[in-house]
Amino acid sequence: MSINQGTASTVDAVIVGAGFSGLYLLHRLRGLGFSTRVFEAGGDVGGTWYWNRYPGCRCDVESLQYSYSFSEELQQERNWPERFSAQPDILKYANHVADRFDLRRDIQFETTVTRAHFDAARRRWSVETDTGENIAARFLIMATGCISTAQIPDFDGLSDFAGETYHTGNWPHEGVDFTGRRIAVIGTGSSGIQAIPVLATQAEHVTVFQRTPNYSLPCQNGPITDEYARSWKDNYAALREEQRHTAKGNIRELNNESALAVTQERRAEMYQKRWAIGGAGFLSSFNDLLVDRAANETAAEFVRTQIRSIVRHPATAELLVAKDYPIGTKRICIDSGYFETFNRDNVALVDVADTPIERITPGGLVVDGRSFEFDAIVFATGFDAMTGTLFKVDIQGRGGATLRDKWAAGPRTYLGLMTRDFPNLFMITGPGSPSVLSNMMVSIEQHVDWVTESLVHMRAENLELMEPTLKAEDDWVEHVNVVAHKTLFPLAASWYMGANIPGKPRIFMPYIGGVGTYRSICEAVVADGYRGFAFDAGAARVAAAE
Ligand code: NAP
């Protein structure tokens, strides 16, 4: 039974976002009898896969693993064409899920939540949208994704450019025809590295502006054979359970050897084998690649050698080789022919590490006094990750405290799920949870299940409000930090660290303890009577107890 009756302006739960988190949340909450409204800024479902439509966009987790496990029928009936799915196939899947579970009727598209204030007197969240709606909700659940606020650096002269500009994270739905055009691509992270090989086949000329070279591994994508699909589908229950207890939410072959304990030949053989298999499994070649600098260097050097053997022009190859940070400590990129693209006559690489882009001009841009002319600029310049989208909403908790102020020195959460002084505000894959370091589907399902079960618990126990204790939150923030510093990750200026946004605190935001370990912690917290959370039973209960 619903806590509220679900009138137009009052619901049990408001969900912000209709990506994979929001869709599953809605399905679960509706099934449990909670009245729910979803607000989605986009025109349809899909979240990151709705916005990121740039050419070459593809998931770097295998399709049979990057999909929901909550419905046996859904996972059995889905036929994934490729080992690593292209964006249109994932978006089709999100649409299929929305239709199959009849989710659209509770989702309001093209509606951005602008404000959410906790009303202490009514014990409700008061939520406002850019369409002028005002709705009260007992629970506010941010399913806004971790990488959803596209970022274009504040280049001088940006608005003067006379040609077209695009950001990979906000790509036109109708696509772009670059035939016969000269384009600039700024940025060589995962998005740029996926887009550049495809753009190079379309445009007359592509100039890539690179500030930091990235390590990238070949995807080795291909069609999924019936036999391979069967090997998963016949064993899905067991394999999904195994996924949930892995470090990254992915099943991949592990090797419990140190890279430093084996011979050079064995190392080379292992790296070669994993390179040929493709994907991020390369980083699991040995057990110490992300914790030991010397071990890491063996893998990094292997990748550098590969790049030098692919790229024909030695000076270009040298620019493309990452040397200043350990492999894997910036999000590893997975590509389809990225380095080979620099052998094309219509592709040029410009290093802007020491000589930044000076300004954008009406005709192009200037670097180190040298002018470049373009018809279009593609910004592959990333996102204000993990906190940017949460801060875009004016979220005020108890006593009018804003989330932005509370997190001014870095995000503070308990388990990445809740933050103190913001009662009944939940985050799906929030900072302080494995989130972006994991197969997001596995982390999303775990968070949605945990949150919905907490709501059921509160309903059963007549509890009105839930939030972390100060100590639990402080201890978790400390733990997230301590665990991160046992690894090599803090050595890189990455978006995990907030380093891509000027003025953003340098804090390692996701929890690196592993998906399986994290799940066990969340389960133990519940088994221990929601250790670290405080509940408020509300006036009625207090009166009854007197
Ligand atoms: P990103 O990794 O943050 O890369 C942004 C790029 O823009 C970097 O090369 C950065 O250089 C460059 N840049 C930023 N400001 C610049 C400036 N002022 N001048 C020159 N260059 C500048 O962003 P992304 O590629 O969009 O990827 C973000 C994340 O989304 C990924 O790490 C991944 O988690 C996810 N993603 C996943 C997939 C996939 O599943 N395959 C695909 C795309 C994205 P610096 O490195 O020097 O800062």
Side-chain angles (χ1 to χ4, degrees):
M1 206 185 76
S2 173
I3 293 173
N4 288 306
Q5 292 312 304
T7 61
S9 58
T10 306
V11 289
D12 293 328
V14 159
I15 297 171
V16 188
F20 283 123
S21 303
L23 291 177
Y24 181 41
L25 258 173
L26 172 58
H27 175 64
R28 286 275 286 158
L29 287 178
R30 194 194 270 169
L32 291 164
F34 291 96
S35 60
T36 307
R37 283 280 288 289
V38 181
F39 293 107
E40 165 57 54
D44 211 333
V45 299
T48 197
W49 303 104
Y50 172 87
W51 298 104
N52 286 267
R53 295 169 187 244
Y54 59 84
C57 182
R58 183 178 294 289
C59 188
D60 57 8
V61 176
E62 289 199 21
S63 314
L64 285 149
Q65 305 205 43
Y66 187 85
S67 44
Y68 286 125
S69 71
F70 71 82
S71 160
E72 178 61 10
E73 295 75 25
L74 178 68
Q75 64 184 8
Q76 288 299 334
E77 71 199 15
R78 188 77 200 155
N79 292 320
W80 293 102
E82 293 183 281
R83 180 178 168 209
F84 293 99
S85 287
Q87 173 270 337
D89 285 325
I90 304 175
L91 187 58
K92 249 185 250 162
Y93 174 69
N95 276 277
H96 170 70
V97 169
D99 293 335
R100 197 186 190 291
F101 297 98
D102 187 24
L103 299 176
R104 286 179 210 280
R105 65 185 155 90
D106 287 321
I107 307 174
Q108 199 162 316
F109 295 108
E110 292 181 346
T111 307
T112 299
V113 170
T114 51
R115 202 163 177 263
H117 288 190
F118 180 67
D119 180 338
R122 293 171 65 211
R123 297 170 165 249
R124 294 283 183 279
W125 281 92
S126 169
V127 179
E128 282 176 34
T129 70
D130 63 346
T131 52
E133 257 197 270
N134 199 324
I135 186 167
R138 167 76 61 82
F139 303 103
L140 174 64
I141 312 179
M142 302 302 286
T144 39
C146 298
I147 314 173
S148 45
T149 293
Q151 194 65 22
I152 295 184
D154 190 15
F155 291 115
D156 268 0
L158 184 57
S159 58
D160 298 341
F161 184 61
E164 284 155 12
T165 57
Y166 304 95
H167 189 287
T168 48
N170 195 0
W171 200 260
H173 287 200
E174 62 284 8
V176 185
D177 182 3
F178 287 111
T179 311
R181 292 157 84 187
R182 300 156 306 162
I183 61 175
V185 179
I186 303 176
T188 53
S190 300
S191 305
I193 280 178
Q194 286 188 333
I196 288 161
V198 186
L199 294 172
T201 63
Q202 298 175 356
E204 182 184 305
H205 194 272
V206 177
T207 308
V208 177
F209 293 87
Q210 172 192 276
R211 187 166 65 183
T212 310
N214 241 312
Y215 297 97
S216 186
L217 304 167
C219 176
Q220 315 286 23
N221 191 32
I224 290 183
T225 61
D226 290 348
E227 194 189 357
Y228 186 64
R230 268 278 60 86
S231 73
W232 272 84
K233 290 188 177 182
D234 287 350
N235 298 293
Y236 244 145
L239 291 170
R240 295 295 200 186
E241 189 52 20
E242 191 181 331
Q243 260 186 315
R244 294 180 189 118
H245 297 279
T246 58
K248 299 251 167 82
N250 278 315
I251 298 178
R252 55 172 66 134
E253 202 183 323
L254 300 176
N255 175 20
N256 205 16
E257 285 174 304
S258 159
L260 303 177
V262 300
T263 62
Q264 200 174 337
E265 291 71 33
R266 163 98 181 125
R267 272 201 303 267
E269 183 196 326
M270 182 62 96
Y271 291 143
Q272 195 65 55
K273 182 178 144 202
R274 301 261 173 156
W275 179 274
I277 291 171
F282 179 88
L283 292 175
S284 306
S285 297
F286 294 98
N287 67 7
D288 49 359
L289 296 185
L290 294 172
V291 292
D292 184 293
R293 188 79 203 240
N296 184 285
E297 182 55 22
T298 65
E301 191 51 31
F302 174 86
V303 172
R304 292 181 199 124
T305 305
Q306 295 295 105
I307 297 169
R308 290 180 181 120
S309 74
I310 295 170
V311 180
R312 285 200 286 271
H313 194 284
T316 306
E318 235 23 61
L319 281 181
L320 289 165
V321 158
K323 299 186 185 99
D324 295 342
Y325 60 96
I327 185 170
T329 55
K330 275 169 121 97
R331 163 74 171 226
I332 193 76
C333 300
I334 307 295
D335 73 90
S336 300
Y338 175 65
F339 294 112
E340 289 83 347
T341 300
F342 292 92
N343 293 331
R344 294 176 66 104
D345 292 338
N346 70 333
V347 175
L349 180 66
V350 177
D351 176 24
V352 293
D354 299 326
T355 49
I357 294 168
E358 270 171 49
R359 64 180 182 280
I360 310 278
T361 62
L365 55 83
V366 178
V367 175
D368 202 17
R370 187 175 157 209
S371 293
F372 296 84
E373 299 284 311
F374 300 110
D375 303 307
I377 301 178
V378 173
F379 293 99
T381 44
F383 299 83
D384 187 354
M386 308 214 66
T387 54
T389 309
L390 294 170
F391 290 163
K392 277 206 305 200
V393 182
D394 170 22
I395 299 178
Q396 288 187 24
R398 184 180 282 117
T402 67
L403 189 66
R404 186 185 276 277
D405 283 348
K406 174 170 176 184
W407 289 6
R412 302 192 69 76
T413 70
Y414 180 34
L415 301 170
L417 282 158
M418 300 193 87
T419 187
R420 187 173 159 77
D421 286 332
F422 295 77
N424 291 3
L425 168 70
F426 294 90
M427 290 161 281
I428 304 301
T429 64
S433 72
S435 60
V436 291
L437 298 175
S438 69
N439 174 351
M440 287 300 277
M441 286 299 220
V442 173
S443 288
I444 284 170
E445 286 195 328
Q446 187 248 335
H447 264 195
V448 169
D449 290 343
W450 196 95
V451 169
T452 51
E453 279 152 28
S454 301
L455 266 55
V456 169
H457 168 74
M458 290 174 74
R459 180 170 62 185
E461 300 294 322
N462 277 321
L463 301 169
E464 280 195 356
L465 300 178
M466 172 177 182
E467 68 183 297
T469 64
L470 184 60
K471 176 162 173 26
E473 185 169 290
D474 286 349
D475 288 353
W476 186 252
V477 170
E478 168 75 7
H479 176 62
V480 169
N481 197 36
V482 165
V483 177
H485 281 85
K486 287 183 179 161
T487 74
L488 301 174
F489 277 82
L491 297 180
S494 66
W495 60 257
Y496 297 137
M497 296 287 296
N500 64 327
I501 303 293
K504 193 163 171 171
R506 300 275 179 118
I507 302 280
F508 192 78
M509 293 183 283
Y511 177 57
I512 206 171
V515 163
T517 305
Y518 173 80
R519 174 183 294 270
S520 304
I521 294 171
C522 290
E523 286 172 0
V525 162
V526 173
D528 223 0
Y530 282 89
R531 175 172 24 91
F533 287 98
F535 292 92
D536 184 331
R541 173 77 173 264
V542 172
E546 278 168 356

